[in-house]
Amino acid sequence: MISIKESAIDFLITNKNKIINEWNEQIFYSPEDPFYDKIPLHFGQFIELLIQSFMHKDAHTDDSVKQLAHIIADERLQARTPIVDFINHVSSGRSILIHHLLLQNMSTVESQSILKLMNSCIDQFLFDSISYYSKLQSETVKDHCDTLSQTHKERLTLLGKMTSSFVHEFRNPLTSIMGFVQLLQAETPDIKYLDIISTELQQLNSRITQFLDISKKETQESEKNIFDIGHLIQEVIEFLYPSILEVNANINTNLANNILISGSKEEFRQVLLNIILNALDVLSIENANPMIDISTTEERSKQLTINISNNGQKIQEDMIRDIFKPFITTKERGTGLGLFVCKEIIEKNQGSLTCSSNDVLTTFTIRMPCV
């Protein structure tokens, strides 16, 4: 029986020239670009490395992919073209790969497995490219800045654009997943839960749009409404149920009834998602009894308090002081912007977001006025 990797290799070898030609027809770079002649070659080189990676993935192939990523990042910086353009071109290549994959006479499971392999390689390639571009950009900025604060400001602007680009890039695999769900609904409408999956994917897509709106430099006033914070917390927990199961965490809630607040419901959803997902990330690391406690209380002064606690590893005091600053993160590949955005949202609504941590619990506390 042919393995998934062998199917992926056969698919890439068979469709390589069609994919490359179609990609070259879609992209556009100015003829004045100093690396204009090299640009069409890079995608072909990446497809070759993709095939090699599937054939025998080892440190050598990983280094080859990283080397190509660094070459392209250096060229884009020298050409003074926005890194977003490069990300969009890779996105086009990914879409073409998905399109040709869907045309193959494969089972849904086989197509999804191959897509997962390709997305993993493409995501790593993008990460290496943008990380190196960021490093080179930071060095360039540093050389031309008179003070550290100026350098920090430039890096903040660059990383903000990169974060928006990453989130935008997530839409491609999300679109393919939504497409597979639609195929399943058409072919086997009796399968349970497909409507729920489709609805949740659409909500995820809308949240991606929301994050892109938040990350824009221009301040846009979000639509405000009055909603029950307890109901929203339950919605977020239900949405995160697969992630909670994966960590095998116990979620304990003590939510007061009918606490209404005024603000953008989607922005508050983003805050809750970010804090709870961070807790799940921490709990996934060697925890025998992972647990998250969420409670809400309303004081007589119409002040709402939300406590979100987890029994993960303690956050050190020096990290607590800076945890809401941009670029501060304990994750290996985190951007350090999630909690920064959360704090901005809460403070915009006349509230506060704080963190405390000891050997037993780490607690994020939101305080804000309620209706």
Side-chain angles (χ1 to χ4, degrees):
M1 184 175 179
I2 299 177
S3 69
I4 296 297
K5 283 192 174 183
E6 289 173 331
S7 298
I9 293 167
D10 182 62
F11 160 69
L12 289 172
I13 292 176
T14 302
N15 296 277
K16 174 186 171 184
N17 291 333
K18 287 189 293 185
I19 292 170
I20 293 173
N21 291 336
E22 190 173 334
W23 184 82
N24 284 332
E25 290 175 359
Q26 287 192 14
I27 66 168
F28 173 78
Y29 274 102
S30 169
E32 297 179 359
D33 191 301
F35 304 98
Y36 181 81
D37 294 335
K38 292 185 178 181
I39 294 168
L41 302 176
H42 289 322
F43 190 69
Q45 292 172 332
F46 177 72
I47 296 295
E48 288 288 350
L49 289 174
L50 201 58
I51 295 171
Q52 292 178 26
S53 179
F54 290 160
M55 285 181 173
H56 43 78
K57 185 172 177 59
D58 53 24
H60 177 71
T61 53
D62 288 345
D63 287 344
S64 297
V65 171
K66 181 177 288 189
Q67 184 178 12
L68 178 61
H70 287 187
I71 289 172
I72 293 174
D74 186 41
E75 289 178 358
R76 292 304 90 215
L77 189 64
Q78 291 185 52
R80 297 184 179 181
T81 56
I83 193 65
V84 174
D85 290 350
F86 163 71
I87 294 173
N88 288 337
H89 292 147
V90 175
S91 175
S92 297
R94 191 201 296 266
S95 299
I96 293 168
L97 282 165
I98 293 171
H99 171 72
H100 283 279
L101 180 61
L102 292 175
L103 295 178
Q104 306 304 304
N105 186 23
M106 297 181 183
S107 67
T108 301
V109 173
E110 189 176 18
S111 297
Q112 287 179 332
S113 299
I114 294 174
L115 183 62
K116 184 177 180 180
L117 286 171
M118 291 194 304
N119 277 333
S120 176
C121 291
I122 294 171
D123 290 343
Q124 184 61 46
F125 174 70
L126 273 171
F127 177 81
D128 289 336
S129 302
I130 297 175
S131 297
Y132 193 64
Y133 182 96
S134 178
K135 177 185 176 183
L136 295 177
Q137 178 74 10
S138 296
E139 292 173 353
T140 303
V141 171
K142 186 176 180 180
D143 290 341
H144 292 86
C145 284
D146 297 327
T147 66
L148 182 61
S149 61
Q150 286 177 298
T151 303
H152 185 75
K153 183 178 179 180
E154 292 292 334
R155 290 183 64 224
L156 177 59
T157 302
L158 173 64
L159 195 51
K161 292 178 181 178
M162 288 167 54
T163 304
S164 298
S165 300
F166 272 128
V167 175
H168 180 76
E169 184 66 19
F170 294 160
R171 276 195 167 132
N172 292 289
L174 178 62
T175 300
S176 69
I177 294 171
M178 294 173 70
F180 280 125
V181 171
Q182 290 174 355
L183 286 174
L184 285 172
Q185 286 177 312
E187 295 174 359
T188 52
D190 295 333
I191 295 180
K192 293 182 178 180
Y193 312 124
L194 285 181
D195 290 340
I196 297 174
I197 294 172
S198 179
T199 300
E200 295 298 337
L201 288 173
Q202 290 172 7
Q203 289 183 3
L204 178 58
N205 189 50
S206 68
R207 286 166 195 152
I208 288 175
T209 300
Q210 176 64 23
F211 186 89
L212 289 171
D213 289 340
I214 292 173
S215 65
K216 287 179 181 178
K217 185 177 181 181
E218 298 81 14
T219 302
Q220 298 180 347
E221 194 65 30
S222 301
E223 180 182 356
K224 287 190 175 183
N225 31 52
I226 296 175
F227 58 93
D228 189 317
I229 188 64
H231 289 170
L232 180 60
I233 291 172
Q234 292 289 6
E235 287 178 16
V236 170
I237 292 173
E238 290 175 10
F239 175 74
L240 292 175
Y241 185 67
S243 299
I244 294 169
L245 279 182
E246 186 177 348
V247 178
N248 196 27
N250 292 316
I251 306 294
N252 305 312
T253 58
N254 182 15
L255 308 178
N257 295 325
N258 300 320
I259 298 183
L260 303 179
I261 63 174
S262 175
S264 168
K265 186 175 181 179
E266 292 307 313
E267 287 188 353
F268 277 93
R269 190 192 304 274
Q270 179 69 35
V271 171
L272 295 170
L273 279 169
N274 195 293
I275 294 175
I276 297 174
L277 279 172
N278 283 351
L280 291 173
D281 284 343
V282 173
L283 293 176
S284 66
I285 304 173
E286 298 181 1
N287 194 307
N289 185 29
M291 176 272 296
I292 296 177
D293 281 340
I294 305 175
S295 66
T296 62
T297 56
E298 180 182 2
E299 300 174 6
R300 291 183 179 178
S301 59
K302 286 291 183 180
Q303 188 77 9
L304 164 68
T305 300
I306 305 174
N307 287 315
I308 304 175
S309 305
N310 70 80
N311 63 342
Q313 187 176 8
K314 175 184 177 181
I315 303 176
Q316 299 304 315
E317 290 184 7
D318 57 342
M319 178 63 73
I320 289 285
R321 288 195 299 268
D322 297 328
I323 199 167
F324 296 108
K325 294 180 180 179
F327 312 121
I328 302 300
T329 180
T330 58
K331 299 178 183 179
E332 183 179 352
R333 293 182 180 176
T335 62
L337 290 177
L339 289 175
F340 169 73
V341 172
C342 290
K343 191 173 179 68
E344 291 282 305
I345 292 172
I346 297 300
E347 290 183 347
K348 184 176 69 173
N349 288 275
Q350 291 75 52
S352 65
L353 174 59
T354 58
C355 177
S356 61
S357 186
N358 55 42
D359 293 332
V360 180
L361 288 177
T362 293
T363 302
F364 284 85
T365 301
I366 299 172
R367 292 186 177 89
M368 61 175 300
C370 50
V371 179

